[in-house]
């Protein structure tokens, strides 16, 4: 968050975390991106960034500022390190709130 509450955030960090489905090896790629305007823009930006490191990964789901993707070898989760302002939905579905973490130990 900006140190000055009235100043807009210039860039946000996005983490793209991939887990190899065979070996459980994990990799994290970090990106800096401009803050998106709205949930649809959040989703599109996550898709765009994932495509740069996992071009064959197919979009699976999006909720709470995070998107999941799957290719033949990896489960990929992309999320904002800090949620963009105004990006939170006021309503959460029961299914999303009960979903287990994808990278739980």
């Amino acid at each position: 968050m900006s140190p000055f509450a009235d100043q807009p955030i210039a860039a946000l960090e996005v983490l793209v975390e991939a887990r190899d489905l065979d070996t459980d090896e994990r990799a994290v790629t970090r990106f800096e991106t401009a803050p998106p305007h709205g949930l649809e823009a959040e989703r599109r930006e996550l898709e765009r960034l994932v495509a740069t490191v996992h071009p064959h990964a197919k979009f699976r789901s999006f909720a709470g500022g995070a998107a999941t993707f799957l290719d033949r070898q990896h489960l990929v989760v992309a999320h904002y390190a800090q949620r963009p302002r105004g990006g939170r939905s006021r309503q959460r579905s029961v299914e999303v709130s009960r979903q287990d973490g994808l990278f739980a130990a």
Side-chain angles (χ1 to χ4, degrees), residues 12-30:
L12 294 174
E13 184 176 39
V14 172
L15 303 168
V16 176
E17 303 179 45
R19 182 175 63 88
D20 187 289
L21 297 174
D22 291 333
T23 66
D24 203 35
E25 183 178 336
R26 295 156 195 251
V28 177
T29 306
R30 298 173 186 274

Side-chain angles (χ1 to χ4, degrees), residues 55-102:
H56 301 292
K58 302 292 183 204
F59 174 79
R60 305 311 275 172
S61 66
F62 174 78
T68 60
F69 303 81
L70 189 63
D71 68 17
R72 295 180 75 186
Q73 196 62 39
H74 299 93
L75 170 64
V76 181
V77 177
H79 62 92
Y80 290 90
Q82 178 182 356
R83 284 296 305 278
R85 283 189 189 172
R88 288 187 172 98
S89 172
R90 293 193 184 274
Q91 295 179 330
R92 289 180 49 114
S93 73
V94 173
E95 294 77 23
V96 171
S97 64
R98 292 184 184 162
Q99 185 176 14
D100 292 333
L102 293 173

Side-chain angles (χ1 to χ4, degrees), residues 1-2 7-14 31-46 48-49 80-87:
M1 189 167 176
S2 172
Q7 290 185 343
I9 297 172
L12 294 174
E13 184 176 39
V14 172
F31 294 93
E32 290 286 323
T33 187
H37 300 287
L39 291 175
E40 183 62 24
E42 277 186 39
R43 185 186 63 77
R44 282 193 317 265
E45 183 65 1
L46 294 175
R48 183 186 72 78
L49 294 172
Y80 290 90
Q82 178 182 356
R83 284 296 305 278
R85 283 189 189 172

